[in-house]
Amino acid sequence: MKEIKRLTRCEKGHFYDAGKYEVCPHCENTGLIPPTKWETDAQPLPSTDDFSELPQTPEKAVDGISPDLFVPVTDTEDLFEQAPAVSVSSVSAEVPDDSRTVHFYQKTLGTEPVVGWLVCISGVHFGQDFRLKSGRNFLGRGGTMDICLSGDSAVSRDRHMIVTYDPKGNSFFAQPGDTSSELSYLNDKPLLEATALQSGDKLTVGESELVFVPFCGESFTWKN
């Protein structure tokens, strides 16, 4: 049976059969076997803790590659320290957001304050209040509506009704939705056109009844 070699590499990079020799025959100069070209050219690997022995930028071209194309080994922390810091806030401040409409009070006050509420007194949303803002407030079943009656299947998904606050005239209006064919009611009468709202008025949409509660009025406006 042919003996299986156990190839071992010594500290100086020589390879030898550990099954035949207890120590490296090349280091001991036993002359029993001549070293191979691979063993004579091999160099011991540097310690994993010492990277100073790794090859740096060559002084001469290697295989036709200019030494200028080689990047010397450096600490990764230095790379991050050299990179310029960019502030996210400064970038966002330089790029204006033209896709979002700035409402009347938001432009002057920096926020969109409440101007009134609709309070549900009958239907699946009983007891809930819905916030009104300056301008037009769209009411419907869809999630994108300002006043979302998602639980009332009798309400149109989009723009069943519109409640508007006019900040210049300090007045409220209700009108039928511009995309819905369903009727809305104001104090149990069909709402067929834009009609002024008064405190305590009752709006009926689908199977829900909502009471109008103004915040802005004769005694208070956000302009003051």
Side-chain angles (χ1 to χ4, degrees), residues 96-102:
D97 184 5
D98 296 332
S99 61
R100 186 167 58 89
T101 302
V102 179

Side-chain angles (χ1 to χ4, degrees), residues 120-126 149 151-155 160 183 203-210:
C120 184
I121 61 172
S122 178
V124 294
H125 293 280
F126 176 80
L149 302 179
D152 192 340
S153 58
V155 174
H160 188 121
L183 287 175
L203 296 167
T204 304
V205 289
E207 298 178 352
S208 301
E209 292 184 352
L210 307 165

Side-chain angles (χ1 to χ4, degrees), residues 33-217:
I33 55 174
T36 64
K37 184 179 184 303
W38 167 261
E39 293 170 337
T40 56
D41 293 342
Q43 298 295 329
L45 293 175
S47 170
T48 55
D49 297 329
D50 184 9
F51 291 96
S52 62
E53 300 181 22
L54 291 176
Q56 302 297 318
T57 304
E59 297 179 358
K60 297 181 180 181
V62 178
D63 295 334
I65 302 176
S66 172
D68 296 336
L69 298 179
F70 288 86
V71 178
V73 178
T74 183
D75 192 349
T76 54
E77 294 183 358
D78 294 338
L79 295 177
F80 288 102
E81 290 177 359
Q82 295 172 6
V86 179
S87 173
V88 176
S89 59
S90 62
V91 173
S92 59
E94 295 175 0
V95 181
D97 184 5
D98 296 332
S99 61
R100 186 167 58 89
T101 302
V102 179
H103 296 283
F104 182 84
Y105 284 131
Q106 187 175 8
K107 186 175 182 179
T108 56
L109 302 179
T111 186
E112 189 59 58
V114 63
V115 297
W117 299 270
L118 293 181
V119 181
C120 184
I121 61 172
S122 178
V124 294
H125 293 280
F126 176 80
Q128 293 185 29
D129 62 288
F130 301 91
R131 191 172 182 266
L132 298 175
K133 67 179 188 307
S134 176
R136 297 201 296 174
N137 298 266
F138 299 105
L139 183 151
R141 197 175 74 254
T144 59
M145 297 292 98
D146 301 299
I147 304 165
C148 178
L149 302 179
S150 58
D152 192 340
S153 58
V155 174
S156 298
R157 180 174 296 277
D158 297 319
R159 303 187 181 187
H160 188 121
M161 184 178 66
I162 303 173
V163 177
T164 303
Y165 172 69
D166 173 19
K168 293 185 177 181
N170 192 28
S171 54
F172 291 86
F173 300 90
Q175 67 186 79
D178 51 8
T179 62
S180 175
S181 59
E182 299 297 327
L183 287 175
S184 301
Y185 295 87
L186 173 59
N187 296 326
D188 296 326
K189 295 181 180 180
L191 183 64
L192 303 178
E193 60 184 0
T195 305
L197 284 175
Q198 304 297 328
S199 178
D201 281 349
K202 183 177 68 175
L203 296 167
T204 304
V205 289
E207 298 178 352
S208 301
E209 292 184 352
L210 307 165
V211 173
F212 168 62
V213 181
F215 181 65
C216 292

